[in-house]
Amino acid sequence: MAEAVTDDGFVVFDRVQKSYDGETLVVKDLNLSIAKGEFLTMLGPSGSGKTTCLMMLAGFETATHGDIRLGGQPINNIPPHKRGIGMVFQNYALFPHMTIAENLAFPLEVRKMGKSEREEKIKRALDMVEMGAFGGRRPSQLSGGQQQRVALARALVFEPELVLMDEPLGALDKQLREKMQFEITDLAHNLGITTVYVTHDQTEALTMSDNVAVFDDGRIQQLAPPDLLYEKPENSFVAQFIGENNTLEGVVTEISGDTCVVRLDDGEELDATPINVSKVGERTKVSIRPERVEYNKERLQEGAHTLKAEVLEFIYMGDIFRTRLRVAGNDEFIIKTRNAPDVERLKPGQQIEIGWLPQDCRALDA
Amino acid sequence: MSDTTDTGGPVLAADGTPLKRSLARALRRQKMRALLLIAPLLLFILISFILPVADMLYRSVKNGIVAETLPRTVVAIADWDADSGELPSEAVYAAMAADLKEAAAAKTHTKVGTRLNYENPGISSLFRKTGRKAKKFDIEGVASWKDELIDINKDWGDIDNWRTIQTYSPRVTSGYFLNAVDMRVGTDGAELRPEAERIYMNLLGRTLWMSLAITVCCILLAYPVAWILANLPMRQANILMILVLLPFWTSLLVRTSAWKILLQQQGVINDILVWVGLVDDSARLVIINNQFGTIVAMTHILLPFMILPMYSVMQTIPPSYLRAAKSLGATDWTAFWRVYFPQTVPGIGAGSILVFILAIGYYITPALVGGTKGTFISNQIAFHISSSLNWGLASALGAILLAVVLVLYWAYDKIVGIDNVKLG
């Protein structure tokens, strides 16, 4: 997390700090290396410093301390217009007084490109996002999704090697957002451009990225591919922030290698995998994913730990059942079960036994 | 869905009346209430604005006084041919004598004199002098009124005077308007006045170009201020906004007088220039009581009217446009000129219309700091309303000013589009 960056990635943040008021740090000691062609997502709650990082990379904010390197060159003192980084903004920022074609021509004109070359590139970029027929329209005459595509085309038309996207799908409805997620990743991989994508939507981050950097409190809490991030969160913030998560609080009573014993606050003891607990007596939050909890005795695997639970609420959600339980004094314990013919539908008030494997149960910092 | 009829006839409401009538009835109450709410304002505008404007427009062509005071003469002189080179017939003189007798008794003969004097300077004394004797006229007892009147005052033998009377005998006249554009009715219809008598077109031209200069000065000064206002954090922007609005809370007279103190030859600016040594004490700058003074003072006074519309437009332009332009490779200047500036044009347009129209009709400031060279046409209008009492001419000048504003407004709508103007 805080180890110094030694490799020479395409984009490198080297011990970068940022403060706006000289009193508090918005970004605290950021180290990050992004490989060429990588799709990296900065994910985090608002105020976590992710957008500030993006703005520093684009050149609209200056780092208070540390180096940002692009292709091996420090870019701290290079003004934004000389960085050659494509950027897609949250509200698209398409120039309302220009047509779509003029919007796309803008980056080419300021690069003093000839007319025929310009028109060819504009056509190719618009065709790429399937907006070829809309060159003569104004941004206000397009739907949100179409504006999004044009913004993407404009950021790519001058063939930058790095593209930044600041919550570009935030204003779209759910269906369109899912479609665009797919299109953006497809495009980025086909063109082989490096992409830094900022979002606060974890589903977006998981589905689109090669790597996700989870930001909180001005630091990267975990940098990992989506599957590792979801299945092996390294601290309780990441476990809580990514996906749904059940938390039980307790004290570590025993540690031996890659297993530990946690005594919950109501006296119950369970086996868990120690992640960032180091000594006996430390308080811990035990994290279990809802879909890893089993209540059908026949399906419980060998070595699974079982606990008593009371059903509080049963919600039918179509493809899955979502059941809220009281477990070890926690009323918000959620389990998810796939809707299959042989699955028992639980009723409120029912007393059941639930269980999970110790490796799915991770003892994290309190 | 199934309630609507498919028969092709009018859609009916539940009680059988046509839906349209039913709806109109339901909306009538709302409309009446809205009308009642705005009725006081409507009435106020009608009485204090629309009626006076209409009256003014009417006064600029109204000319009843000659026909009312000299009814017999007006009838008698109608057939006279002024270009024949001969004086009117005996009948006309007799009619004039009878009219003058009545007018002198009613003491209205001087008013006709004053009215005709606007068109033919000197004619008022003719009426005044003759009027003194007119009360004792014995209409039947004189053989030739032609000789008698010319005997009383030889000016009755001047064809030009009779021509003036004939020309201005109709109840409606274009005389005021001709006068307002430096023309007059000559022997061959309308003609330009002699060079020395042309005042108003020069004045109108000066008013227009000075208003334009003031508008341009306001744009140049207001643009950066509005930009800072729109880009500062809320707290600081509010403080700056108070500074912008501060002049509004100070009396116009005080502000104008302050400019007098600053700009006069023994004033603060000249004193400083002399003290610094830039200007010799014997050659102090004349920067007030001329066009320069008027432009400076009026730019200051009208500046908020430019800043506010610009500010409200700039406020709606998110900073991401500039950032987008820069990320696409534009320098600061290109980003401003190609992306930011075009989006502020509606604000500039709104401010310019506002400032220009206010400036063109401004009166107090040019009167106080304009001297003789820096006054506006509005000062002439005020002069004719309060000093020379030639309300007809004042009305004609006002009507021309109104027409100019409307034409400019129309032209602006054609070129920029009035829908693009944003005041807030």
Side-chain angles (χ1 to χ4, degrees):
Chain A
M1 287 177 287
E3 67 267 24
V5 179
T6 48
D7 65 333
D8 38 15
F10 182 56
V11 178
V12 175
F13 285 85
D14 188 3
R15 310 205 66 121
V16 172
Q17 294 184 321
K18 174 71 187 177
S19 173
Y20 285 107
D21 53 6
E23 287 167 16
T24 49
L25 284 169
V26 185
V27 174
K28 301 168 182 165
D29 194 26
L30 178 84
N31 294 288
L32 179 63
S33 172
I34 305 166
K36 210 170 169 86
E38 183 178 332
F39 195 115
L40 178 111
T41 299
M42 294 177 170
L43 174 68
S46 46
S48 60
K50 57 188 193 310
T51 300
T52 306
C53 283
L54 197 76
M55 290 302 162
M56 285 194 286
L57 186 52
F60 300 127
E61 301 287 354
T62 46
T64 315
H65 176 82
D67 269 343
I68 302 172
R69 290 195 290 274
L70 177 64
Q73 297 291 317
I75 54 170
N76 290 34
N77 295 321
I78 298 178
H81 67 270
K82 288 192 181 146
R83 295 192 182 191
I85 299 175
M87 187 151 180
V88 180
F89 289 82
Q90 191 168 11
N91 58 1
Y92 318 132
L94 296 176
F95 308 138
H97 57 291
M98 298 183 190
T99 64
I100 300 310
E102 284 165 354
N103 263 282
L104 264 74
F106 186 82
L108 307 178
E109 275 170 25
V110 299
R111 285 175 172 75
K112 309 230 176 345
M113 197 174 278
K115 192 160 188 271
S116 56
E117 194 182 355
R118 219 159 59 203
E119 275 168 4
E120 189 195 313
K121 284 195 190 231
I122 292 170
K123 187 179 180 309
R124 206 186 316 146
L126 281 179
D127 286 343
M128 188 172 69
V129 293
E130 291 162 28
M131 293 290 295
F134 294 87
R137 302 253 189 116
R138 300 231 170 222
S140 58
Q141 294 168 307
L142 301 184
S143 71
Q146 290 171 327
Q147 290 186 32
Q148 175 58 63
R149 284 159 195 256
V150 173
L152 196 60
R154 191 180 65 175
L156 296 174
V157 73
F158 60 100
E159 292 161 6
E161 290 184 88
L162 174 64
V163 173
L164 313 181
M165 303 193 190
D166 183 12
E167 310 212 14
L169 305 179
L172 302 182
D173 61 60
K174 189 167 175 288
Q175 269 191 330
L176 202 56
R177 199 157 60 215
E178 281 165 9
K179 188 165 159 7
M180 287 303 294
Q181 284 172 12
F182 174 72
E183 286 185 21
I184 289 175
T185 35
D186 225 31
L187 211 57
H189 283 139
N190 287 344
L191 297 174
I193 30 176
T194 315
T195 313
V196 179
Y197 190 98
V198 162
T199 182
H200 63 263
D201 181 338
Q202 38 125 341
T203 327
E204 214 165 276
L206 293 181
T207 49
M208 297 177 79
S209 327
D210 298 326
N211 273 311
V212 180
V214 181
F215 275 70
D216 186 48
D217 193 28
R219 290 178 199 281
I220 294 182
Q221 300 291 332
Q222 188 172 354
L223 172 64
D227 53 341
L228 278 183
L229 202 65
Y230 184 79
E231 284 165 30
K232 298 200 163 30
E234 279 175 4
N235 58 39
S236 54
F237 175 81
V238 177
Q240 285 291 345
F241 193 74
I242 307 287
E244 226 173 348
N245 183 54
N246 291 307
T247 304
L248 297 171
E249 291 191 41
V251 177
V252 180
T253 55
E254 230 183 286
I255 296 189
S256 55
D258 55 357
T259 59
C260 68
V261 178
V262 176
R263 191 173 65 236
L264 301 180
D265 290 350
D266 69 339
E268 189 91 36
E269 291 203 331
L270 50 82
D271 298 326
T273 313
I275 303 297
N276 51 3
V277 288
S278 49
K279 57 181 189 291
V280 171
E282 205 174 322
R283 279 201 70 82
T284 179
K285 277 184 179 159
V286 177
S287 143
I288 311 114
R289 293 286 180 201
E291 66 276 13
R292 296 296 166 100
V293 179
E294 188 55 70
Y295 59 90
N296 186 336
K297 281 198 181 95
E298 285 111 64
R299 293 207 199 173
L300 268 181
Q301 283 168 349
E302 190 108 353
H305 187 94
T306 58
L307 276 177
K308 284 190 171 49
E310 184 190 345
V311 179
L312 296 177
E313 200 177 4
F314 175 84
I315 302 167
Y316 177 85
M317 294 180 75
D319 55 344
I320 57 162
F321 304 141
R322 194 167 182 275
T323 317
R324 189 161 66 86
L325 307 174
R326 178 182 295 141
V327 177
N330 180 355
D331 282 352
E332 298 293 331
F333 198 96
I334 304 292
I335 60 174
K336 284 183 187 165
T337 325
R338 213 159 52 79
N339 183 358
D342 58 334
V343 170
E344 179 195 0
R345 299 187 184 186
L346 300 168
K347 289 176 188 64
Q350 204 175 341
Q351 299 289 333
I352 56 169
E353 282 222 322
I354 55 170
W356 54 78
L357 292 171
Q359 53 265 44
D360 289 332
C361 169
R362 298 164 70 86
L364 303 166
D365 54 304
Chain B
M1 290 284 139
S2 56
D3 287 346
T4 53
T5 50
D6 291 333
T7 55
V11 185
L12 299 183
D15 60 354
T17 53
L19 192 56
K20 272 199 176 159
R21 197 191 304 164
S22 183
L23 179 70
R25 195 184 302 147
L27 291 179
R28 195 175 305 143
R29 273 183 74 92
Q30 282 184 23
K31 281 186 187 160
M32 284 304 292
R33 198 185 308 159
L35 201 66
L36 276 176
L37 280 171
I38 60 162
L41 179 65
L42 269 182
L43 213 64
F44 177 77
I45 288 178
L46 184 75
I47 292 171
S48 69
F49 185 71
I50 295 178
L51 288 181
V53 167
D55 181 59
M56 183 202 80
L57 289 175
Y58 176 54
R59 268 175 196 279
S60 64
V61 292
K62 178 181 155 191
N63 190 45
I65 189 161
V66 180
E68 279 158 22
T69 321
L70 310 171
R72 299 176 190 89
T73 317
V74 165
V75 174
I77 206 171
D79 298 332
W80 176 59
D81 180 7
D83 294 329
S84 63
E86 284 174 26
L87 284 170
S89 65
E90 180 62 36
V92 176
Y93 279 91
M96 176 60 85
D99 284 336
L100 276 177
K101 185 178 170 147
E102 262 175 40
K107 292 187 174 140
T108 52
H109 63 289
T110 51
K111 286 184 185 161
V112 183
T114 310
R115 165 68 191 96
L116 294 173
N117 201 57
Y118 297 146
E119 317 298 343
N120 185 353
I123 203 170
S124 78
S125 70
L126 175 63
F127 275 86
R128 208 170 49 246
K129 284 176 189 160
T130 318
R132 277 191 220 119
K133 296 175 183 162
K135 274 186 227 165
K136 291 173 190 140
F137 280 173
D138 178 10
I139 303 297
E140 309 294 330
V142 175
S144 167
W145 273 108
K146 193 170 190 171
D147 299 338
E148 179 73 16
L149 279 177
I150 294 173
D151 194 38
I152 290 170
N153 194 321
K154 64 173 170 35
D155 285 347
W156 287 115
D158 185 348
I159 289 184
D160 267 348
N161 286 338
W162 287 106
R163 187 204 303 278
T164 308
I165 293 170
Q166 191 193 33
T167 310
Y168 293 96
S169 55
R171 286 181 171 271
V172 172
T173 177
S174 60
Y176 292 122
F177 273 102
L178 288 176
N179 200 348
V181 294
D182 294 330
M183 292 169 89
R184 65 178 178 191
V185 181
T187 43
D188 305 312
E191 64 177 24
L192 269 178
R193 281 172 186 271
E195 197 85 46
E197 286 177 31
R198 293 179 202 163
I199 314 168
Y200 302 112
M201 287 323 278
N202 285 343
L203 203 55
L204 186 65
R206 187 205 289 168
T207 305
L208 288 174
W209 97 254
M210 281 178 70
S211 299
L212 194 70
I214 290 162
T215 309
V216 171
C217 288
C218 278
I219 292 175
L220 294 178
L221 291 175
Y223 201 92
V225 177
W227 189 83
I228 291 175
L229 263 176
N231 286 284
L232 273 182
M234 206 37 134
R235 268 175 58 100
Q236 281 128 294
N238 281 341
I239 293 171
L240 194 60
M241 185 55 106
I242 289 174
L243 292 179
V244 169
L245 292 176
L246 204 60
F248 276 139
W249 307 331
T250 321
S251 155
L252 181 64
L253 229 50
V254 172
R255 276 181 284 158
T256 309
S257 310
W259 278 111
K260 256 190 139 72
I261 292 167
L262 281 173
L263 296 178
Q264 63 191 344
Q265 280 194 287
Q266 302 301 322
V268 178
I269 288 178
N270 265 312
D271 281 350
I272 290 175
L273 289 175
V274 168
W275 182 68
V276 172
L278 281 172
V279 169
D280 193 72
D281 195 21
S282 58
R284 285 171 175 256
L285 299 177
V286 185
I287 43 180
I288 200 157
N289 296 332
N290 56 15
Q291 299 191 0
F292 181 81
T294 305
I295 291 176
V296 168
M298 282 186 58
T299 299
H300 167 238
I301 284 160
L302 295 176
L303 199 54
F305 294 101
M306 187 65 88
I307 294 178
L308 292 176
M310 278 187 180
Y311 167 60
S312 71
V313 167
M314 287 182 186
Q315 228 184 358
T316 62
I317 303 173
S320 60
Y321 285 127
L322 273 181
R323 290 186 160 183
K326 286 183 203 168
S327 82
L328 293 170
T331 58
D332 288 354
W333 169 252
T334 313
F336 166 78
W337 184 245
R338 297 251 345 246
V339 173
Y340 192 80
F341 180 77
Q343 294 186 63
T344 59
V345 166
I348 299 175
S352 300
I353 286 195
L354 208 58
V355 167
F356 189 84
I357 290 178
L358 282 173
I360 213 177
Y362 230 71
Y363 159 63
I364 297 178
T365 306
L368 289 179
V369 302
T372 49
K373 295 246 172 64
T375 49
F376 279 13
I377 200 157
S378 49
N379 301 108
Q380 258 322 305
I381 295 176
F383 167 77
H384 284 304
I385 288 205
S386 56
S387 299
S388 83
L389 299 180
N390 188 351
W391 283 27
L393 180 56
S395 299
L397 287 170
I400 288 174
L401 205 53
L402 183 65
V404 167
V405 169
L406 289 177
V407 165
L408 284 172
Y409 188 83
W410 173 83
Y412 186 90
D413 186 34
K414 279 279 159 200
I415 298 163
V416 184
I418 220 71
D419 301 342
N420 287 329
V421 168
K422 283 188 202 153
L423 284 173

